[in-house]
Amino acid sequence: MVNDPHHIGCPNCDTVHRFSAQELTVPTRCARCGYRLTLGRKDAVLRVTMLALTSLVLMGLALFAPFLTLNAGPFESRASVIDVIFGFAEGIMVPLSFAVLFFIVIIPAMRSGLLIYALAPNLAGVAHAPLARPALRLAFKLKPWAMVEIFMVGVAVALVKLAGMATVDTGAAFWAFVLLVLVNAAQDAFMCRNTLWTTVGTPPS
């Protein structure tokens, strides 16, 4: 997408289209190849905002609810994600603790918060929040650093290895993380950048 938010280049065939602000409120496709260029302002903004809010709720649940319970004979150990993070906060493991906190918790939560901040006022039909465009830009840039999916892959590998040594029970936080991965995938599917940039660049209807 070039600087003018009403000009959109097709990522499939490179055809440049010019749309009016009204046309961008509905789904649009490339006139040459039929590639979907925008999802339509109302649908895209509503879905992304609601999914971002759902992500924050699931993240709060995932942090403090029981994540895994290990049973080995008479011994039982139960831990939340917060317990795991602070369990590494000693000696040479401190950098790992900060990495888990930063990439698994802070960045995903920050990204969801930025999306809500930038887009929610449009749903309410009020003026855009101050610095809405920089907030949206930062939300896009944070995407590669939100690694909840990588965390869950690591957990799955660990569960396979632990299965032969102890009984492993998954708690509410585990399933909250599973839902969080699915919600983030759905959010990315609706993350139509052309539509969202147009939304924060024009007055709400």
Side-chain angles (χ1 to χ4, degrees), residues 162-181:
L162 288 172
M165 298 183 292
T167 301
V168 181
D169 296 321
T170 54
F174 176 88
W175 297 109
F177 261 107
V178 172
L179 289 175
L180 187 59
V181 171

Side-chain angles (χ1 to χ4, degrees), residues 5-6 41 122 128 132-133 136 195-204:
H6 295 169
R41 181 187 304 172
N122 185 272
H128 299 306
R133 290 179 67 83
L136 185 61
T195 300
L196 299 186
W197 276 122
T198 302
T199 298
V200 298
T202 57

Side-chain angles (χ1 to χ4, degrees), residues 57-188:
V57 173
L58 288 173
M59 180 63 74
L61 174 62
L63 285 180
F64 300 104
F67 188 76
L68 292 176
T69 301
L70 299 179
N71 294 284
F75 301 101
E76 178 178 291
S77 178
R78 179 177 300 176
S80 67
V81 173
I82 289 295
D83 294 331
V84 173
I85 291 173
F86 288 105
F88 290 117
E90 293 182 2
I92 62 173
M93 302 300 287
V94 170
L96 177 60
S97 177
F98 277 104
V100 173
L101 179 65
F102 197 64
F103 293 112
I104 307 304
V105 178
I106 293 179
I107 289 183
M110 182 184 299
R111 183 169 181 256
S112 295
L114 288 169
L115 289 171
I116 295 170
Y117 176 81
L119 300 175
N122 185 272
L123 295 176
V126 299
H128 299 306
L131 303 178
R133 290 179 67 83
L136 185 61
R137 182 180 296 109
L138 181 56
F140 288 145
K141 289 183 177 180
L142 287 177
K143 181 182 181 299
W145 303 100
M147 299 184 180
V148 175
E149 298 85 353
I150 305 301
F151 175 73
M152 289 307 295
V153 170
V155 169
V157 173
L159 288 178
V160 171
K161 293 185 177 182
L162 288 172
M165 298 183 292
T167 301
V168 181
D169 296 321
T170 54
F174 176 88
W175 297 109
F177 261 107
V178 172
L179 289 175
L180 187 59
V181 171
L182 297 177
V183 167
N184 287 343
Q187 179 178 280
D188 291 337

Side-chain angles (χ1 to χ4, degrees), residues 42-71:
K42 182 177 180 180
D43 286 346
V45 173
L46 178 61
R47 291 173 183 177
V48 171
T49 304
M50 291 299 100
L51 288 171
L53 181 59
T54 302
S55 293
L56 284 180
V57 173
L58 288 173
M59 180 63 74
L61 174 62
L63 285 180
F64 300 104
F67 188 76
L68 292 176
T69 301
L70 299 179
N71 294 284

